[in-house]
Amino acid sequence: MNRFDVLYDPWIPVVTVGGESQTLGILPALEQAHTLRDVLCESPLETYAVFRLLIAFLMDAYSPASVNDRVSIYRSGRFDPVVLSQY
């Protein structure tokens, strides 16, 4: 039986800041988010759904309790791979 791991197996179409198209899993996409320009699915609704999934994943992994927590995450410039992998 084939297995597909949405966390690691590539399924999210992205474009890097250099313009290169790639396909990434959830964790690689979030770990490399600071090097990505866009998520570019075949339809806008699919793109929106992927963004919603990624945001939900991040909100649960980080559990920011206040606006200051969100500002701190933003100012770090990237998502912490340790936080993501522990989730």
Side-chain angles (χ1 to χ4, degrees), residues 38-52:
D38 205 358
V39 171
L40 197 56
C41 299
E42 291 185 22
S43 80
L45 290 175
E46 185 181 355
T47 300
Y48 177 73
V50 170
F51 273 120
R52 292 270 322 250

Side-chain angles (χ1 to χ4, degrees), residues 2-3 8 14 18 24 37 41 50 57 70 76:
N2 290 337
R3 294 186 61 156
Y8 296 100
V14 299
L24 302 171
R37 182 173 65 205
C41 299
V50 170
F57 186 96
R70 293 181 192 156
S76 71

Side-chain angles (χ1 to χ4, degrees), residues 17-30:
V17 291
E20 180 184 343
S21 295
Q22 295 180 353
T23 307
L24 302 171
I26 292 173
L27 288 178
L30 292 174

Side-chain angles (χ1 to χ4, degrees), residues 3 5 7 9-10 12 15 19-20 22-24 41 46 48-49 52 56 60-61 65 67 71-73 83 87:
R3 294 186 61 156
D5 186 344
L7 291 177
D9 291 343
I12 302 171
V15 178
E20 180 184 343
Q22 295 180 353
T23 307
L24 302 171
C41 299
E46 185 181 355
Y48 177 73
R52 292 270 322 250
D60 205 34
V67 171
V71 169
S72 176
I73 295 166
V83 171
Y87 179 72

Side-chain angles (χ1 to χ4, degrees), residues 54-77:
L54 295 175
I55 290 166
F57 186 96
L58 288 169
M59 292 298 289
D60 205 34
Y62 275 91
S63 298
S66 69
V67 171
N68 291 336
D69 291 343
R70 293 181 192 156
V71 169
S72 176
I73 295 166
Y74 176 77
R75 286 190 177 151
S76 71

